[in-house]
Amino acid sequence: MQTTPRQKVIFDHDGGVDDLLSLMLLLSMDHVDLLGVTITPADCYLPDATESTLKLLRLFGREEVPVALGNLHGINAFPAEWRAQPKICNAFPMMLNTPVSDAQLDCRHAPQFIADTLIASDSHVTVLMTGPCTNLVAALKGNAAAQAKVKELVWMGGAVDVAGNVSTHNHNTSAEWNAFWDPIATQDLFALGIEIRLIALDATNELPVNKAFLQDLAKQADYPMSQLAGQFWATTVNSIPAYEFTYYMWDVLATSYLALGHTSFTFERAELAVSVKEPNAGQTYRSPGSDQWVMVATWADRDQVLDYVLKQFAR
Ligand code: AGV
Ligand code: CA
């Protein structure tokens, strides 16, 4: 009997609590062949995100998956309080009790690792990205051979027909943070012409982290991954009020797309452009004639996604 080949995936994340939960969800997917994990030092501090990533891989028995680190920084740094928030994840007993080995670290810079891994792959690769696109753009820009191997990019980023979540001086709140961190890279990304599925705030707004969901997760806390995920999410309920009150399942929603596909999402093919200037740097707006076509998620089925997440963490 012929078995369907597993879906090859490269995962680039930026170490937020949501990114770590996404890694856990991705590692729970049997149909995914994870070729490597790369880190963008954006909504995290790189050593924390590296430690969390290595430990989660180890907890899932995936010490063979290479991890490569990025050292490129965007123009608009994340607030320090947000970058420090995921430190707590490394302080939970299950994480403290997990040994970490640098042997799993690939010595190549993340963009080089991404480009090499794409080119070395004998079939097309899905790129899942839950932080800014700086690593990926550095990997793909001017590298047609690597671009040709990208089946599809699933990116948590952007805000198209809804308000953004950047609230800083010199910004009018029209941009989403991942797009804002490095607006020039975001613009370059759209100009590449690769297949992009944008899991924008338009869709992630359907999924605030709420107590009812945490309660359902707590009911299955006998499963170690539910226990750990519940602890991770608990660190987000006091989202820094100075910027925003709610923590959403931004990256987790993008990750769930890899398993749920079209059944749980509505997409619209749209021509977008990116602002690189104040007061709306990083805004991803409709621009008919830009010829930068992007598949924008306009809606996600909250109940289906939450059911799926609960199911995957109960294994
Ligand atoms: O804009 C959403 C992105 C996602 O990739 N990140 C968090 C997710 O990992 C930035 C962000 C927006 N609001 C935040 C963020 C908040 N209140 N706390 C931390 N990060
Ligand atoms: Ca993120």
Side-chain angles (χ1 to χ4, degrees), residues 91-173:
F92 289 119
M94 203 188 299
M95 295 293 272
L96 287 173
N97 285 335
T98 304
V100 65
S101 158
D102 286 355
Q104 204 165 345
L105 286 180
D106 193 286
C107 60
R108 284 168 286 182
H109 187 218
Q112 189 67 50
F113 173 87
I114 295 171
D116 290 351
T117 304
L118 285 169
I119 289 170
S121 174
D122 55 14
S123 56
H124 287 88
V125 178
T126 300
V127 179
L128 171 67
M129 192 163 67
T130 59
C133 59
T134 312
N135 279 338
L136 185 67
V137 168
L140 296 184
K141 206 173 165 182
N143 191 338
Q147 279 178 44
K149 288 288 180 63
V150 177
K151 180 169 174 239
E152 174 171 81
L153 165 66
V154 179
W155 187 30
M156 191 287 118
V160 179
D161 296 321
V162 297
N165 59 12
V166 173
S167 167
T168 66
H169 298 290
N170 305 332
H171 204 283
N172 64 9
T173 323

Side-chain angles (χ1 to χ4, degrees), residues 14 16-19 43 78 82 85 130-131 156 165 176-178 201 239-240 243-248 250-251:
D14 72 333
V17 175
D18 201 22
D19 300 79
D43 200 2
F78 275 93
W82 290 7
Q85 180 190 31
T130 59
M156 191 287 118
N165 59 12
E176 181 281 328
W177 258 100
N178 288 340
L201 296 186
S239 276
I240 318 289
Y243 308 102
E244 193 180 25
F245 286 100
T246 311
Y247 201 92
Y248 291 85
W250 298 281
D251 301 348

